[in-house]
């Protein structure tokens, strides 16, 4: 129990550090980019990320066969495929992959405190949401023209992938016996999703500045042409898709449910295996 409290406290401190030190890391990234040029920087980050991804896939595949956790290999391929799709369709520039690393570490701390993958990812959400709000509203209001659900999805993918790797290599696999509909973290998440949808559809949270009305309290997007599927980044020239608030929130919810599934063991031990143990 003491260990859980320590890890939980570290998670809070680290989560706040992600939020308050965000601009420091951005400025550091800009210095590195200016040193190499944007093109070279993108290539370096891409190659490094692919190398790390290949190592993670190889190591986890070996551990899966060693620990006989073949159901987790399915989740590993799904998450890596989703990460690649995110990279292809939703990236402004390659250094954004740092989001996955930042929140992957946070998720590991929270998993150590909760022993529950679904709860760990969901407990990351407040830090993810606040981090994006700080960027959009306080730090880069003139630069960021939309609340980035793209980044939130990437945060969740990184958090889930980190926990999945840990579950593959942990000596004693931690599982959850409660069905989804009895898990409080998913009840709360579902209520929050419905509440958010109501706020957006009613206009209290305006999905775009063109939908602002007299009782709007927050505008989620100020991009010039929200109807276009592909947007062109003003600085990098990248063509990418910007997730609208409602699809973005729905994707986040689905990902959290998917990651909650890794709390269950889908391969049952045979009776003779239990007898041998």
């Amino acid at each position: 129990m003491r260990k859980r409290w320590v890890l939980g406290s570290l998670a809070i401190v680290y989560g706040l550090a992600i939020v308050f030190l965000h601009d420091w890391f951005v400025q550091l990234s800009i210095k590195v980019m200016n040193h190499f040029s944007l093109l070279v920087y993108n290539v370096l980050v891409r190659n490094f990320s692919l190398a790390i991804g290949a190592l993670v896939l190889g190591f986890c595949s070996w551990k899966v066969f060693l620990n006989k956790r073949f159901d987790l290999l399915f989740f590993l391929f799904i998450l890596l495929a989703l990460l690649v799709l995110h990279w292809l369709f939703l990236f402004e520039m390659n250094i954004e992959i740092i989001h996955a690393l930042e929140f992957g570490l946070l998720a590991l701390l929270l998993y150590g405190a909760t022993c529950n993958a679904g709860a760990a990812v969901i407990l990351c959400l407040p830090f993810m949401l606040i981090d994006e709000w700080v960027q959009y509203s306080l730090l880069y209001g003139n630069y960021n023209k939309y609340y980035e659900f793209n980044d939130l999805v990437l945060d969740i993918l990184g958090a889930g992938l980190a926990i999945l790797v840990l579950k593959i290599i942990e000596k004693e696999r931690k599982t959850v016996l409660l069905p989804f509909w009895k898990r409080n973290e998913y009840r709360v998440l579902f209520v929050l999703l419905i509440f958010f949808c109501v706020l957006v559809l009613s206009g209290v949270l305006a999905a775009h500045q063109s939908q602002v009305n007299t009782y709007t309290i927050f505008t989620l997007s100020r991009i010039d042409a929200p109807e276009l599927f592909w947007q062109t980044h003003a600085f990098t020239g990248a063509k990418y898709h910007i997730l609208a608030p409602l699809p973005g929130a729905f994707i986040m919810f689905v990902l959290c449910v998917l990651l909650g599934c890794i709390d269950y063991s889908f391969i049952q031990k045979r009776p003779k295996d239990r007898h041998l143990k």
Side-chain angles (χ1 to χ4, degrees):
M1 182 60 71
R2 182 179 178 182
K3 178 183 176 182
R4 291 190 179 188
W5 278 105
V6 171
L7 290 173
S9 300
L10 285 174
I12 293 173
V13 172
Y14 174 68
L16 293 174
I18 291 176
V19 175
F20 290 107
L21 295 179
H22 187 101
D23 189 56
W24 184 84
F25 283 107
V26 167
Q27 297 306 320
L28 178 62
S29 177
I30 290 174
K31 288 181 180 179
V32 176
M33 179 185 66
N34 289 338
H35 176 76
F36 287 105
S37 82
L38 175 60
L39 178 61
V40 174
Y41 189 42
N42 266 332
V43 171
L44 287 174
V45 173
R46 181 198 65 194
N47 292 344
F48 180 77
S49 301
L50 290 175
I52 294 297
L55 287 173
V56 169
L57 179 59
F59 175 75
C60 288
S61 298
W62 171 65
K63 275 292 186 178
V64 160
F65 283 92
L66 187 66
N67 296 334
K68 301 188 186 317
R69 294 171 183 171
F70 302 106
D71 52 335
L72 295 183
L73 190 61
F74 167 79
F75 288 102
L76 179 63
F77 281 116
I78 290 294
L79 288 182
L80 288 176
L82 290 174
L83 194 58
V84 170
L85 286 174
H86 193 291
W87 193 313
L88 294 174
F89 289 96
L90 304 179
F91 264 30
E92 298 175 14
M93 58 188 302
N94 291 345
I95 192 58
E96 288 187 79
I97 195 66
I98 195 70
H99 282 264
L101 298 176
E102 288 176 335
F103 286 97
L105 178 55
L106 178 61
L108 290 179
L109 292 172
L110 288 170
Y111 179 71
T114 62
C115 298
N116 182 317
V121 172
I122 291 171
L123 287 173
C124 285
L125 290 177
F127 297 101
M128 297 174 183
L129 295 169
I130 292 172
D131 184 42
E132 292 304 323
W133 177 81
V134 167
Q135 294 176 64
Y136 179 58
S137 300
L138 302 180
L139 293 178
Y140 317 118
N142 295 328
Y143 176 78
N144 282 10
K145 291 189 175 183
Y146 57 97
Y147 188 85
E148 295 209 40
F149 283 88
N150 291 23
D151 284 354
L152 291 171
V153 169
L154 180 59
D155 296 342
I156 294 174
L157 288 173
L161 187 58
I163 292 175
L164 181 60
V165 171
L166 184 59
K167 289 189 79 71
I168 287 172
I169 65 177
E170 64 186 359
K171 292 183 179 179
E172 292 187 21
R173 182 174 174 183
K174 303 176 182 67
T175 57
V176 173
L177 299 178
L178 281 176
F180 265 104
W181 57 89
K182 290 186 179 181
R183 293 173 65 172
N184 290 331
E185 63 268 28
Y186 284 99
R187 290 175 175 177
V188 172
L189 185 65
F190 180 73
V191 170
L192 290 176
L193 174 66
I194 297 301
F195 185 60
F196 176 77
C197 291
V198 170
L199 291 179
V200 171
L201 293 173
S202 66
V204 175
L205 296 178
H208 186 261
Q209 62 182 359
S210 62
Q211 301 172 8
V212 170
N213 53 51
T214 55
Y215 47 86
T216 295
I217 61 173
F218 190 72
T219 304
L220 292 163
S221 174
R222 305 188 307 272
I223 59 177
D224 296 329
E227 71 281 359
L228 297 179
F229 183 87
W230 294 110
Q231 302 287 334
T232 301
H233 194 273
F235 174 68
T236 67
K239 290 188 180 298
Y240 65 107
H241 178 65
I242 297 176
L243 288 173
L246 290 180
F250 179 74
I251 291 172
M252 290 170 64
F253 177 79
V254 171
L255 285 176
C256 287
V257 172
L258 173 67
L259 296 173
C261 290
I262 68 177
D263 283 318
Y264 302 95
S265 179
F266 296 96
I267 297 179
Q268 301 297 325
K269 293 183 181 296
R270 294 175 296 178
K272 67 176 183 179
D273 294 332
R274 291 196 296 267
H275 177 72
L276 291 173
K277 291 192 174 185

